């Protein structure tokens, strides 16, 4: 633990230019104590007023706890660079509110003194209701502050529905069933929607194949119905929050997520924050053009990345190549056929991996997240899929000595998205730094 803290602290300092070493990978910033070291930790343009100092520090402390796991007050003080007294002042109200709990005791050291305990999220903390609304189904569950998933409910959204109120009835029915299985009242609802979202108004702008939800004020409707705080965001941004807290993005200050399946979207975590763009308009990387005068995209343009690197594309290609059951093809089956030596499948897999890598290289060139986690159907292609994508991705990168660039497959997308949806509301309520 000490080594980890030293490493992360050194990286934290290096980010602010006061210590040499590797570039920062941790998303936790130091805490701010009245009057000292503030020049190092807070950018000049955003001074923190006395009124917001408490919530900001509370958020940073909880983020540090997620990054390090169960920790003592002394660990937290060292990691965040403040005194144990400051930590104690932040921790006590969180213990009183049963957000945190004292865990196992650490034996006192040779110098004696009061035995320390490790702090972690309380089992009695109110859970969060997470909602994942996709084109054809809705998935709800309770997420504990430790990321445990319970009381899952799934309902189909039939394509024959014609009105937003019909869909909302299905969504709220699912939420209701999940909430009633909780022994505690819920903290709030975090909803991740597969579509274009206005994060300021909490409305769905466009959901592609399910147009009857376009313009639907889902946050306002859920708040009205359940009387708890609600946060709504795009599903890929929920994935990045889930990865940041519980997945491969843990402890990272910069990384990207790319979802490749029925659609193609991206999300960015930059300088310790989720980057949304104006009113949540960012992340539409699927509509960056990779082929001039290429295939027609549903957005009305031609040659978007989405037109050559989604399930729709591999299924059309499989049909033209005469592969069996092209309508049911996915990355998993394509790799299976390629492993069996079916030549058309081997060729299609190579082409798919190349098409995916082109957009990933564009993303790396522009933003340099240096870590890209893939989600969606592409994950089912496993190691072979990742190796093929990675090979052509690396071929396209500029040669910059010393850069460590990582490409990885994410966890099962529903779990990550549900945890991320819960993370969205928790960040808002507890003032996390994301
Ligand atoms: Zn497009």
């Amino acid at each position: 633990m000490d080594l980890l803290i030293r490493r992360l602290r050194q990286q934290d300092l290096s980010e602010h230019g006061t210590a040499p070493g590797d570039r920062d990978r941790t998303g936790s910033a130091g805490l701010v104590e009245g009057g000292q070291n503030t020049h190092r930790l807070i950018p000049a343009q955003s001074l923190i007023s006395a009124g917001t100092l408490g919530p900001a520090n509370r958020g940073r402390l909880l983020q540090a706890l997620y990054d390090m796991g169960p920790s003592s007050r002394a660990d937290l003080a060292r990691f965040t660079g403040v005194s144990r007294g400051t930590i104690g002042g932040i921790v006590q109200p969180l213990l009183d509110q049963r957000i945190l709990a004292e865990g196992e005791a650490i034996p006192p050291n040779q110098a004696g003194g009061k035995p320390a305990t490790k702090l972690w999220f309380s089992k009695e903390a109110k859970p969060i209701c997470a909602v994942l609304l996709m084109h054809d189904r809705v998935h709800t569950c309770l997420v504990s502050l430790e990321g445990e998933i319970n009381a899952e409910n799934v309902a189909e959204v039939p394509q024959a529905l014609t009105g937003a109120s019909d869909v909302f009835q299905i969504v709220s029915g699912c939420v209701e069933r999940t909430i009633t299985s909780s022994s505690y009242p819920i903290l709030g609802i975090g909803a991740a929607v597969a579509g274009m979202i206005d994060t300021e108004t909490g409305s769905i702008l466009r959901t592609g194949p399910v147009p009857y939800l376009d313009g639907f004020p889902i946050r306002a409707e859920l708040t009205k119905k359940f009387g708890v705080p609600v946060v709504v965001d795009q599903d890929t941004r929920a994935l990045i929050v889930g990865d940041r807290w519980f997945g491969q993005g843990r402890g990272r200050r910069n990384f990207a997520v790319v979802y490749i399946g029925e659609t193609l979207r991206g999300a960015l975590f930059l300088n310790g924050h989720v980057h949304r763009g104006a009113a949540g308009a960012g992340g539409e990387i699927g509509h960056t053009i990779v082929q001039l005068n290429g295939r027609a995209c549903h957005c009305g343009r031609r040659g978007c990345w989405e037109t050559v690197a989604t399930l729709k594309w591999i299924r059309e290609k499989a049909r033209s190549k005469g592969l069996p059951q092209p309508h049911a093809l996915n990355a998993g089956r394509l790799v299976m056929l390629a492993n069996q030596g079916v030549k058309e499948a081997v060729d299609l897999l190579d082409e798919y991996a190349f098409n995916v890598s082109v957009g990933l290289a564009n993303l790396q060139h522009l933003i340099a997240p240096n870590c890209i986690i893939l989600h969606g159907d592409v994950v089912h292609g496993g190691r072979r899929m990742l190796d093929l994508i990675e090979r052509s991705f690396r071929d396209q990168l500029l040669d910059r000595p010393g850069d460590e660039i990582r490409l990885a497959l994410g966890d099962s997308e529903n779990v990550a998205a549900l945890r991320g949806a819960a993370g969205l509301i928790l960040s808002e309520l507890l003032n996390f730094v994301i």
Side-chain angles (χ1 to χ4, degrees):
M1 178 65 81
D2 276 353
L3 199 75
L4 172 74
I5 292 169
R6 266 204 306 280
R7 184 170 66 78
L8 293 177
R9 278 295 297 155
Q10 189 188 29
Q11 287 168 345
D12 190 38
L13 288 169
S14 75
E15 174 72 5
H16 299 283
T18 54
D22 295 338
R23 263 174 279 175
D24 190 1
R25 284 180 56 212
T26 177
S28 286
L31 302 191
V32 183
E33 280 183 312
Q36 67 174 33
N37 290 336
T38 50
H39 66 283
R40 177 171 65 77
L41 297 163
I42 304 297
Q45 72 275 20
S46 60
L47 297 186
I48 288 188
S49 70
T52 53
L53 193 63
N57 274 345
R58 184 177 57 180
R60 289 176 187 191
L61 180 129
L62 291 172
Q63 182 80 69
L65 203 54
Y66 270 111
D67 289 345
M68 295 200 299
S71 310
S72 68
R73 288 167 178 79
D75 289 339
L76 287 165
R78 265 176 287 162
F79 181 64
T80 54
V82 294
S83 68
R84 282 180 68 164
T86 302
I87 295 291
I90 302 168
V91 160
Q92 196 51 51
L94 293 168
L95 289 168
D96 295 342
Q97 292 161 37
R98 295 188 176 164
I99 288 172
L100 297 183
E102 306 268 7
E104 56 179 284
I106 307 163
N109 59 23
Q110 287 171 337
K114 218 171 117 188
T117 55
K118 289 201 172 185
L119 296 165
W120 190 235
F121 294 93
S122 167
K123 298 241 177 274
E124 291 172 27
K126 293 176 181 175
I128 295 153
C129 177
V131 179
L132 177 59
L133 177 57
M134 290 164 283
H135 302 136
D136 55 351
R137 62 198 187 281
V138 56
H139 194 155
T140 58
C141 70
L142 294 174
V143 182
S144 75
L145 297 193
E146 296 173 285
E148 216 172 88
I149 287 182
N150 287 301
E152 284 186 72
N153 271 282
V154 181
E156 301 257 313
V157 177
Q159 297 300 300
L161 292 180
T162 51
S165 61
D166 293 338
V167 181
F168 185 69
Q169 218 171 354
I170 295 173
V171 173
S172 58
C174 229
V175 170
E176 190 122 42
R177 284 194 295 282
T178 286
I179 290 179
T180 48
S181 13
S182 171
S183 350
Y184 299 98
I186 59 162
L187 205 56
I189 300 172
V193 179
M196 221 183 257
I197 305 300
D198 183 326
T199 48
E200 274 163 29
T201 61
S203 304
I204 298 173
L205 294 176
R206 206 172 318 146
T207 51
V210 199
Y212 39 73
L213 276 177
D214 293 0
F216 187 70
I218 189 164
R219 184 174 72 200
E221 292 297 322
L222 284 170
T223 308
K224 196 161 77 185
K225 171 105 186 162
F226 296 101
V228 291
V230 178
V231 173
V232 178
D233 210 333
Q234 191 216 70
D235 57 343
T236 319
R237 279 199 286 267
L239 280 175
I240 208 163
V241 173
D243 275 346
R244 174 65 186 80
W245 283 19
F246 305 105
Q248 299 180 61
R250 206 170 191 158
R252 284 191 176 270
R253 197 162 172 81
N254 292 291
F255 72 104
V257 152
V258 175
Y259 177 94
I260 302 175
E262 302 80 10
T263 58
L264 204 164
R265 282 213 175 83
L268 295 170
F269 195 81
L270 299 178
N271 289 323
H273 298 265
V274 174
H275 179 79
R276 291 186 165 83
E284 297 295 344
I285 196 168
H287 298 287
T288 50
I289 292 173
V290 294
Q291 203 170 23
L292 293 179
N293 304 315
R295 299 158 73 96
C297 180
H298 66 85
C299 74
R301 279 160 286 267
R302 285 190 168 274
C304 298
W305 187 23
E306 187 167 312
T307 63
V308 293
T310 52
L311 276 175
K312 187 169 180 264
W313 177 83
I314 61 166
R315 286 171 181 169
E316 280 173 17
K317 277 283 186 178
R319 194 170 293 117
S320 68
K321 284 175 181 288
L323 284 167
Q325 295 179 289
H327 59 280
L329 193 70
N330 58 25
R333 265 199 63 222
L334 183 60
V335 168
M336 196 185 77
L337 291 169
N339 287 343
Q340 288 167 1
V342 179
K343 191 186 173 301
E344 292 77 11
V346 173
D347 293 346
L348 180 54
L349 183 60
D350 282 347
E351 203 179 340
Y352 188 29
F354 175 75
N355 291 358
V356 167
S357 75
V358 169
L360 298 180
N362 288 343
L363 174 61
Q364 176 60 29
H365 287 147
L366 182 64
I367 308 287
N370 285 13
C371 171
I372 304 176
I373 302 170
L374 303 176
H375 282 270
D377 175 66
V378 77
V379 174
H380 300 130
R383 192 73 237 174
R384 179 162 180 178
M385 181 93 225
L386 181 65
D387 286 348
L388 286 169
I389 295 171
E390 189 155 13
R391 201 175 308 152
S392 58
F393 169 71
R394 292 199 183 279
D395 282 349
Q396 295 166 67
L397 295 183
L398 302 173
D399 188 20
R400 282 174 50 93
D403 273 357
E404 190 194 308
I405 299 167
R406 187 165 174 257
L407 210 56
L409 297 178
D411 304 325
S412 154
E413 62 262 42
N414 278 1
V415 171
L418 286 165
R419 282 175 165 166
L424 293 169
I425 184 81
L426 200 55
S427 327
E428 177 130 329
L429 293 177
L430 299 182
N431 200 24
F432 270 67
V433 288
I434 60 167

